Amino acid sequence: MAVLPLQVLAATQSVPSTDGALISAIAGAAPGDVLLLDPGLHQGPIELDRPVTIDGQGKAKIYGNKTGSVISVTGTDITIRGLEIVGSGSAHETIDSGIQLHRTAARILVEDNRILGNLYGVDIHGAKQATVRENVIIGRRDHRLNSRGNGIYVWNAPGTLVENNEIQFGRDGIFVNTSNRGVFRGNLMRDLRFAVHYMYAHDSEISGNVSIGNHLGFALMYSNRITVRDNLSLADRDQGLMLNYTNKSDLVGNLVRGAGGKCLFIYNAHHNLIGDNRFEGCQTGIHFTAGSESNALTGNAFIANKTQVKYVGTRDVEWSFDGRGNFWSDHPVFDLDGNGIADSRFRPNDLVDHILWSQPAAGMLLGSPAVQLIRWSQAHFPATLPGGVVDSFPLMKPIEIPVPEEIVSLEMAARANPVWLRERTENVSDPLTSH
């Protein structure tokens, strides 16, 4: 007896926007069927347990009646496309979401949806090889920031691809926990706690993402062998990038600009390559501590940070690799042989900096003759300098990282009216009441 492929047996059927029609259509669908939802409001919540495509064609809305998850996926080879999805419940215990992919799910495609006002946007909870792309996810605002859900939550879901989504409000944009071999690229994340929050997730890629106006851009913790490339952190409040117990990873080609605290914070992170990044206009360019000296730093640009580097140590730490150091905007030097390397090495910190870090009240003495004498002495007698960062091959030109005009506009708006000030004056109510 011949077995026909699903494509031959599959049918396409229209689903009217009447009460119970969508649930009945799913119950009667054969594997491979395509359900085209008519424009209008369709009743949920629904469960997808077989290989089907649900296509709202950009005009259909599924409403979940504020109970559980709006769409629960337990089957395989399922596509969810072109829908507006609203009305999840509010329970963190069950991770109430716009779309929830359970551990029995595999090879799920979630694309081109508007997922609005749910506690969590998409929960990938143990599902294998899921793809979430080109969705707009706008989270809840009717709770304190830490009590909201994440835009996309990934737990124990190897092979996940998350790309080209726009995520705003809620808690974290993308939260990845105990999940390996994922790719997270091209996402725009705004008005959140963390844009990307990464824990116990190895052998993954975070590339081409944009964080604007969040409390922290990219928080990478307890993870190894991550590629963090070509991301933008713009006008984030506290930090742009953070490495916390993150090892053997590559941070290359990233731009952090205008963070209110640190461009990059490194805590107990080892054997990482930090190269060709641009750290600009932050309170501190890089703060590294807790034995994080064993990283290679080369080709980075430190531009107009109030403190370029903060490191308290008793020994010199070389910040160059294979004869190539970093660019320092406050290093006035010459390049007489024209090889692109400054003719004198650079120390971003001196004894006065170390005193100020431990005794901030000493800042009132910065203009005094005594402090000026100490700095003059250290410049002329290097043996008096404390341990710290040394760049023996400073670069003459900084790396340039272009930012698209539309992203610059969002950056300027976030800088002028940050969300953490905005929400103090706005009347933030339940976002579901508008749907």
Side-chain angles (χ1 to χ4, degrees), residues 233-407:
S233 166
L234 306 172
D236 288 328
R237 190 186 79 168
D238 299 322
Q239 298 172 30
L241 286 159
M242 179 177 69
L243 300 183
N244 182 6
Y245 288 85
T246 294
N247 307 302
K248 300 178 182 178
S249 298
D250 293 344
L251 276 73
V252 179
N254 304 287
L255 168 64
V256 180
R257 183 164 68 195
K262 306 171 179 67
C263 283
L264 170 60
F265 180 47
I266 305 174
Y267 183 87
N268 203 17
H270 303 279
H271 308 298
N272 300 293
L273 170 62
I274 302 170
D276 295 328
N277 304 287
R278 186 174 172 115
F279 304 116
E280 180 177 357
C282 301
Q283 190 75 12
T284 303
I286 291 184
H287 181 189
F288 74 109
T289 186
S292 299
E293 294 89 353
S294 57
N295 299 292
L297 287 98
T298 178
N300 303 289
F302 295 84
I303 299 176
N305 301 295
K306 186 172 182 180
T307 299
Q308 300 280 46
V309 175
K310 183 175 180 180
Y311 164 68
V312 180
T314 58
R315 65 185 181 92
D316 289 344
V317 179
E318 177 62 48
W319 274 19
S320 64
F321 184 75
D322 283 347
R324 182 171 181 256
N326 307 275
F327 175 83
W328 307 88
S329 62
D330 54 342
H331 185 32
V333 291
F334 299 97
D335 178 19
L336 297 179
D337 57 6
N339 66 350
I341 304 297
D343 294 334
S344 62
R345 65 180 187 168
F346 181 61
R347 284 180 175 268
N349 306 124
D350 59 17
L351 178 60
V352 175
D353 292 322
H354 287 241
I355 293 172
L356 289 174
W357 296 335
S358 60
Q359 303 293 332
M364 66 180 64
L365 302 175
L366 279 178
S368 69
V371 170
Q372 300 305 313
L373 178 60
I374 291 172
R375 285 189 154 155
W376 180 90
S377 301
Q378 291 177 128
H380 290 80
F381 303 100
T384 63
L385 287 165
V389 169
V390 179
D391 188 342
S392 297
F393 303 95
L395 301 181
M396 294 299 297
K397 293 183 179 180
I399 185 172
E400 300 290 344
I401 299 178
V403 180
E405 290 185 8
E406 62 272 19
I407 298 300

